[in-house]
């Protein structure tokens, strides 16, 4: 079964400069909690216990976040502020955290390959923490995808419909619908212009990958933007066997840019923070 979740978090976060000049994008707070923690909570809620984080230079804050801060904790011990750390503490008690560095930022595919030593030879989940996915009325997105994996045992990408004029921001799939909201992928294009896009079904930052993806990434040449694209490796997997695309239940915020970040902040403030959740 799936036990591990990989968090590629080595990107430069250029859309959020200067905030991300010396701070990882994944540490940006949505109200009072950093993006990475939302991602880890989603993975933990899906039953995953081993968090594997791919970091890069200047990303030490990610490691420190899931560690004890003796001085601070001593300072607030016995006060009501102690409760603010309960969520983080619970994750530290129930999950393991391991880290590796992507030395050169050669794209998402390359970042996933950098995590190979932490994952080994087993299927795993991938969360891009700057895509915040929430489903307040039911299962989280990774939980939904793991249920699907149990039935199909192949790689799965989460998708959503996007306006046609935004296809150039995403990997876009085409495929045959085999069930309501589930497609068997037969084509995948990285960031196509609208006229070249095979559909408006865009891949977002949640994946279940089978371990053969690593060899496929190793054989993948740099693609769009000179980066090693995960979509190119997934396309080979789709041709060799099967990749599914899943239209998830819930809401996704692209917190890598200001608009999605503000929308996520407003949503979480109203729906979670003010409700004491
Ligand atoms: P993005 O496309 O959002 O790139 O990466 P980015 O560099 O983080 O942000 P911008 O576009 O410059 O603002 C998607 C995910 O892949 C990770 C990022 O950390 C993010 O979670 N990534 C990307 C890596 O880990 N390594 C890379 O070389 C590229």
């Amino acid at each position: 079964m799936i036990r591990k979740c990989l968090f590629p978090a080595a990107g430069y976060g250029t859309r959020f400069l200067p905030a991300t000049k010396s701070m990882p994008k994944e540490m940006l707070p949505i109200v009072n909690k950093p993006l990475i923690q939302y991602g880890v909570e989603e993975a933990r809620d899906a039953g995953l216990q081993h968090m594997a984080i791919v970091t890069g230079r200047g990303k030490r804050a990610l490691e420190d976040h899931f560690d004890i801060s003796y001085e601070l904790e001593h300072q607030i011990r016995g006060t009501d502020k102690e409760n603010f750390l309960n969520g983080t503490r619970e994750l530290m008690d129930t999950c393991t955290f391991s880290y590796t560095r992507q030395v050169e930022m050669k794209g998402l595919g390359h970042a996933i390959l950098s995590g190979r030593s932490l994952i080994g030879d087993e299927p795993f989940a991938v969360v891009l923490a700057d895509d915040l996915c929430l489903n307040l009325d039911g299962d989280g997105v990774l939980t939904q995808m793991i249920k699907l994996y149990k039935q199909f045992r192949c790689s799965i990408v989460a998708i959503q419909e996007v306006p046609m004029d935004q296809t150039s921001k995403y990997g876009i799939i085409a495929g045959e619908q085999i069930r309501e909201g589930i497609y068997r992928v037969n084509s995948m294009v990285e960031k196509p212009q609208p006229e070249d896009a095979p559909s408006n079904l865009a891949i977002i930052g949640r994946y279940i990958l089978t371990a053969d993806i690593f060899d496929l990434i190793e054989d993948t040449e740099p693609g769009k933007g000179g980066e090693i694209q995960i979509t190119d490796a997934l396309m080979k997997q789709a041709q060799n066997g099967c990749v599914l695309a899943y239209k998830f239940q819930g809401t996704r915020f692209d917190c890598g840019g200001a608009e999605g970040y503000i929308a996520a902040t407003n949503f979480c403030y109203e729906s979670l923070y003010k409700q004491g959740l």
Side-chain angles (χ1 to χ4, degrees):
M1 245 310 103
I2 300 188
R3 309 180 305 137
K4 297 183 181 176
C5 186
L6 187 70
F7 296 82
Y12 289 123
T14 53
R15 280 174 296 156
F16 239 115
L17 285 169
T20 46
K21 186 162 177 253
S22 63
M23 183 183 77
K25 169 167 73 172
E26 294 76 11
M27 285 303 294
L28 287 170
I30 300 296
V31 191
N32 61 340
K33 200 157 66 175
L35 280 166
I36 188 78
Q37 188 170 333
Y38 286 91
V40 169
E41 286 174 356
E42 184 186 330
R44 187 269 324 264
D45 291 346
L48 311 184
Q49 284 178 324
H50 302 286
M51 309 300 161
I53 305 183
V54 179
T55 67
R57 278 179 296 285
K59 301 271 189 171
R60 270 282 306 278
L62 285 167
E63 297 182 42
D64 290 339
H65 185 69
F66 297 107
D67 200 351
I68 292 173
S69 171
Y70 284 107
E71 208 177 306
L72 168 72
E73 291 179 38
H74 173 75
Q75 201 58 239
I76 62 175
R77 186 157 303 137
T79 74
D80 50 7
K81 292 193 177 121
E82 226 176 349
N83 297 334
F84 290 136
L85 290 180
N86 285 350
T88 324
R89 173 63 73 150
E90 198 192 318
L91 292 176
M92 287 159 55
D93 289 344
T94 52
C95 306
T96 67
F97 292 85
S98 53
Y99 301 87
T100 191
R101 274 196 182 204
Q102 185 188 15
V103 178
E104 286 178 280
M105 308 324 161
K106 292 197 220 160
L108 177 58
H110 183 259
I112 292 174
L113 184 60
S114 304
R116 185 177 201 163
S117 59
L118 302 179
I119 299 296
D121 189 21
E122 56 183 284
F124 60 103
V126 176
V127 167
L128 306 186
D130 53 339
D131 263 350
L132 176 61
C133 292
L134 297 168
N135 185 27
L136 302 186
D137 303 325
D139 287 341
V141 176
L142 269 191
T143 303
Q144 297 168 37
M145 293 174 77
I146 283 173
K147 281 186 179 164
L148 205 59
Y149 176 80
K150 285 181 181 161
Q151 292 173 48
F152 290 93
R153 308 265 163 184
C154 66
S155 288
I156 305 169
V157 297
I159 51 165
Q160 73 173 143
E161 287 188 43
V162 296
M164 241 7 230
D165 63 1
Q166 290 187 23
T167 56
S168 63
K169 294 190 196 162
Y170 298 91
I172 302 289
I173 69 116
E176 57 178 290
Q177 183 159 230
I178 56 173
R179 255 194 235 166
E180 176 74 31
I182 304 174
Y183 299 78
R184 194 187 168 112
V185 174
N186 50 36
S187 156
M188 219 178 252
V189 190
E190 187 60 30
K191 301 190 170 73
Q193 291 305 315
E195 56 275 20
D196 301 322
S199 75
N200 69 338
L201 299 173
I203 303 175
I204 61 110
R206 297 289 181 279
Y207 305 75
I208 303 285
L209 299 175
T210 50
D212 55 318
I213 197 76
F214 292 124
D215 284 344
L216 294 170
I217 301 173
E218 248 171 11
D219 290 340
T220 300
E221 296 294 322
K224 192 117 190 175
E227 297 190 329
I228 297 179
Q229 303 289 354
I230 187 65
T231 38
D232 291 340
L234 277 165
M235 192 55 224
K236 289 187 226 165
Q237 220 179 25
Q239 280 160 352
N240 295 347
C242 182
V243 171
L244 295 183
Y246 169 60
K247 222 191 256 183
F248 62 93
Q249 306 290 315
T251 313
R252 168 233 172 211
F253 298 96
D254 172 12
C255 296
E259 203 178 313
Y261 179 80
I262 299 297
T265 302
N266 288 333
F267 181 88
C268 289
Y269 179 67
E270 291 297 332
S271 313
L272 298 173
Y273 187 80
K274 267 170 77 175
Q275 317 298 326
L277 297 171

